Amino acid sequence: MAEQQKQQKKQEQDINQLLKVRREKLADLQANGKDPFQITKYDVTHHSQEIKDHFEELEGKSVTVAGRMMSKRVMGKASFCNVQDLQGGIQSYVARDSIGEEEYKAFKKMDIGDIVGITGEVFKTKTGEISIHASNVTLLSKSLQILPEKFHGLTNTDLRYRQRYVDLIMNPDVKDTFIKRSKIISAIRKYLDGQGFMEVETPMLVSNAGGAAARPFETHFNALDEDLKLRISLELYLKRLIVGGMERVYEIGRVFRNEGLDTRHNPEFTLMELYQAYTDYHGMMDLTENLYRHVAQEVLGTTTIVYQGVEMDLGKPFERITMVDAVKKYSGVDFNEIHTLEEARAAAKEHHVEYEERHKKGDILNLFFEEFVEDHLIQPTFVMDHPIEISPLTKKKPENPEYVERFEFFMNGWEMANAYSELNDPIDQRERFKAQEEQLAQGDEEANTTDEDFLNALMIGMPPTGGIGFGIDRMCMLLTDSAAIRDVLLFPTMKSLDK
């Protein structure tokens, strides 16, 4: 242990010395009127991969690139360095006779991590590597910190999330994940815009955080001396727009839920909700199926995806099964044969499903589903017709009012989307809110409260409407083969290091 501490202390001293040298180099540059931080712009003509892809056209021609110096080999009168930009890396051959003696001395003093600009002719080395023969090298920004050692990279997971900027530099796969995430969201917008949907924005700070079963974050607005909440859902404002005559609307935005952290949950995450007048939950199933296929094809070039070694086929028709049938299939319990709360409780006890005193028959059905079914839903599956007790904003099934016209979309055992034939009966909606208020009084912190303005909107009249909410982050996880939600969030929520 003593030897280990001794080595660690020596490493810290070595690093401090290296950092001191970098500061001294900057001071020397500034003293000689060559402060890199005074440079305001640099005209880039090409990126690394672009040069490689169009080598035959560009060979012998002058290009200008800029990026971070990731390696440097000084060999007397000539050197090589590798510059990393948005598209990847490219080698540059830097010779004293080509850039001049003073400039070459300055180049040799540059450090790994510095931002440089290089102008020169495109050529291919004897080993066949496409490179730039530099005629000019400009220091654009001095790196005063030391990057992780390149062969081991940045492997500390906690540090990777806290210092995503270093993670993006050292791990090319990470940058690729976030480029794909951007393409996924772009493909979603392109598809919905093509279907006649209009993108809108609704408030994040709300007096009543409804539309989902979740505990909100609360804050205080000083100017109005009012307590407000961060939204947990996009639903109730988007439905107001349907009332106002906007027949197809969607929003992609952050929502906030005061809950725990794990591989699939972050307290702030990206949700997309859309609402379409004059359709129902069957219309939302068709839209979901088509949207997922479109996005996978656009971003990955295939409708077959592999996540953590598990293959999922988006090209085949998605399975559709009711919640009652799914529970019967995987637990053997048929809730069509269970008619009373006492019978539901007896079945729960027999199958070791824990429930609370406030839970009704429909709640217990949902507990069975969570216990016995979810993990089996690997291939794309729509689970339909939920109990009314867990669906306060959804239309009842006319032929069976204990259940509602709702589905949840599952892949890889995860809930990926949640959709309804939206409840547009203001009288029924008021009763549902009342039931939610009762659950809140009984200790359910995730229950909704009555939203009078939303009820007023329904009183004015909302057409038959289908609506759905998509978890964008989980979609990105599946399509980028990312093990945790933090891997698809550029800056995930982390516990403060001061705590």
Side-chain angles (χ1 to χ4, degrees):
M1 180 64 78
E3 183 62 30
Q4 188 177 0
Q5 289 176 339
K6 188 176 178 181
Q7 287 180 352
Q8 186 176 349
K9 188 174 181 181
K10 185 179 185 306
Q11 284 177 348
E12 289 174 359
Q13 290 172 340
D14 290 344
I15 289 171
N16 288 336
Q17 181 59 33
L18 290 171
L19 292 175
K20 182 184 176 186
V21 169
R22 292 196 178 206
R23 291 289 182 117
E24 290 170 350
K25 287 180 181 179
L26 175 63
D28 186 54
L29 287 165
Q30 291 170 332
N32 287 286
K34 296 179 180 179
D35 186 351
F37 298 128
Q38 295 296 318
I39 296 173
T40 57
K41 64 172 292 192
Y42 189 78
D43 294 325
V44 175
T45 64
H46 295 79
H47 282 82
S48 56
Q49 192 60 45
E50 182 184 1
I51 294 169
K52 294 173 183 178
D53 291 343
H54 299 92
F55 172 72
E56 292 179 2
E57 302 165 35
L58 294 172
E59 186 178 12
K61 294 182 180 177
S62 179
V63 297
T64 299
V65 300
R68 191 177 300 277
M69 190 186 295
M70 298 301 292
S71 65
K72 185 174 74 165
R73 286 181 289 133
V74 177
M75 301 177 295
K77 297 178 183 179
S79 302
F80 285 95
C81 69
N82 190 281
V83 175
Q84 178 176 291
D85 61 16
L86 176 67
Q87 296 181 355
I90 192 163
Q91 179 177 266
S92 179
Y93 173 69
V94 184
R96 186 186 67 181
D97 293 344
S98 299
I99 68 170
E101 190 166 345
E102 287 302 312
E103 286 73 13
Y104 191 63
K105 283 182 181 177
F107 168 77
K108 289 200 292 184
K109 291 181 179 179
M110 293 179 190
D111 292 304
I112 303 302
D114 286 351
I115 308 291
V116 299
I118 295 178
T119 296
E121 288 186 0
V122 177
F123 78 108
K124 194 176 282 188
T125 64
K126 291 178 182 178
T127 59
E129 184 169 353
I130 295 169
S131 305
I132 299 170
H133 189 146
S135 57
N136 179 267
V137 180
T138 305
L139 179 62
L140 300 174
S141 182
K142 184 70 188 164
S143 174
L144 300 177
Q145 186 56 274
I146 298 167
L147 292 175
E149 195 267 313
K150 70 174 182 176
F151 293 107
H152 297 97
L154 182 63
T155 55
N156 181 304
T157 304
D158 187 75
L159 193 60
R160 284 181 51 225
Y161 296 145
R162 291 184 188 278
Q163 297 185 11
R164 182 69 82 188
Y165 42 91
V166 181
D167 192 24
L168 290 166
I169 294 166
M170 301 306 300
N171 297 317
D173 290 347
V174 172
K175 185 183 288 184
D176 182 58
T177 292
F178 288 104
I179 290 171
K180 280 182 180 171
R181 179 187 171 107
S182 178
K183 289 179 178 178
I184 289 165
I185 294 173
S186 178
I188 291 169
R189 285 192 165 105
K190 183 178 177 182
Y191 178 81
L192 292 177
D193 293 347
Q195 296 294 312
F197 282 85
M198 181 170 70
E199 185 172 10
V200 297
E201 293 177 314
T202 61
M204 289 190 183
L205 281 172
V206 296
S207 57
N208 189 330
R215 189 166 62 177
F217 288 95
E218 298 182 359
T219 188
H220 186 77
F221 185 17
N222 292 333
L224 295 180
D225 193 25
E226 285 185 5
D227 289 332
L228 295 174
K229 300 176 178 67
L230 288 171
R231 66 185 180 188
I232 60 173
S233 167
L234 313 174
E235 180 167 348
L236 300 185
Y237 279 98
L238 291 176
K239 285 183 181 177
R240 286 169 168 89
L241 299 181
I242 296 293
V243 170
M246 294 182 174
E247 294 182 3
R248 298 187 183 204
V249 294
Y250 74 96
E251 180 174 7
I252 299 173
R254 283 293 174 103
V255 296
F256 309 86
R257 298 183 181 179
N258 201 345
E259 56 189 23
L261 294 160
D262 62 31
T263 56
R264 282 185 281 158
H265 293 88
N266 195 72
E268 57 174 310
F269 61 96
T270 303
L271 184 65
M272 181 184 76
E273 291 196 30
L274 65 86
Y275 293 85
Q276 179 180 341
Y278 310 114
T279 191
D280 62 1
Y281 74 143
H282 292 289
M284 291 296 102
M285 286 186 222
D286 295 339
L287 184 147
T288 302
E289 205 163 327
N290 293 331
L291 174 64
Y292 258 78
R293 284 198 194 108
H294 170 82
V295 172
Q297 191 66 51
E298 282 283 306
V299 177
L300 305 179
T302 177
T303 55
T304 300
I305 65 171
V306 178
Y307 180 78
Q308 306 290 293
V310 178
E311 187 174 292
M312 286 164 268
D313 190 351
L314 294 165
K316 294 178 181 177
F318 296 3
E319 183 182 358
R320 303 186 182 197
I321 187 171
T322 67
M323 182 179 279
V324 169
D325 286 346
V327 167
K328 182 180 178 181
K329 179 178 179 179
Y330 292 106
S331 75
V333 177
D334 185 357
F335 269 76
N336 283 327
E337 301 300 320
I338 293 176
H339 303 291
T340 66
L341 176 58
E342 289 68 29
E343 289 172 352
R345 286 176 171 174
K349 288 174 182 175
E350 184 181 344
H351 289 80
H352 309 291
V353 174
E354 294 184 7
Y355 62 88
E356 296 177 25
E357 197 64 30
R358 62 184 174 81
H359 284 148
K360 299 184 172 67
K361 175 188 161 187
D363 298 299
I364 294 173
L365 167 61
N366 188 54
L367 292 171
F368 266 83
F369 175 77
E370 291 172 352
E371 180 73 25
F372 293 103
V373 181
E374 285 189 2
D375 290 345
H376 296 281
L377 304 178
I378 304 303
Q379 296 303 316
T381 304
F382 294 118
V383 177
M384 310 179 296
D385 302 350
H386 293 50
I388 193 170
E389 290 90 342
I390 62 167
S391 311
L393 298 162
T394 315
K395 272 194 174 183
K396 298 173 186 174
K397 292 181 69 64
E399 72 280 9
N400 191 354
E402 287 187 8
Y403 295 90
V404 297
E405 294 191 351
R406 173 185 174 187
F407 74 80
E408 290 175 293
F409 173 50
F410 281 84
M411 285 180 67
N412 193 50
W414 303 349
E415 179 201 336
M416 304 298 293
N418 185 23
Y420 314 147
S421 296
E422 301 297 334
L423 179 60
N424 62 343
D425 177 347
I427 299 169
D428 189 356
Q429 182 64 80
R430 183 173 289 280
E431 289 302 310
R432 306 271 194 102
F433 275 142
K434 185 179 177 182
Q436 287 282 300
E437 295 270 13
E438 289 172 359
Q439 289 185 31
L440 188 67
Q442 292 172 22
D444 184 355
E445 294 181 337
E446 296 184 347
N448 284 207
T449 55
T450 303
D451 188 327
E452 290 293 347
D453 183 72
F454 176 64
L455 288 171
N456 185 59
L458 292 187
M459 291 285 285
I460 289 170
M462 186 173 86
T465 298
I468 188 166
F470 289 88
I472 296 295
D473 305 308
R474 289 187 188 178
M475 186 181 195
C476 291
M477 287 174 67
L478 282 185
L479 295 182
T480 62
D481 196 15
S482 298
I485 192 170
R486 290 181 176 185
D487 295 326
V488 296
L489 297 174
L490 279 167
F491 300 102
T493 303
M494 304 289 290
K495 186 175 181 180
S496 172
L497 292 173
D498 297 332
K499 296 294 183 184

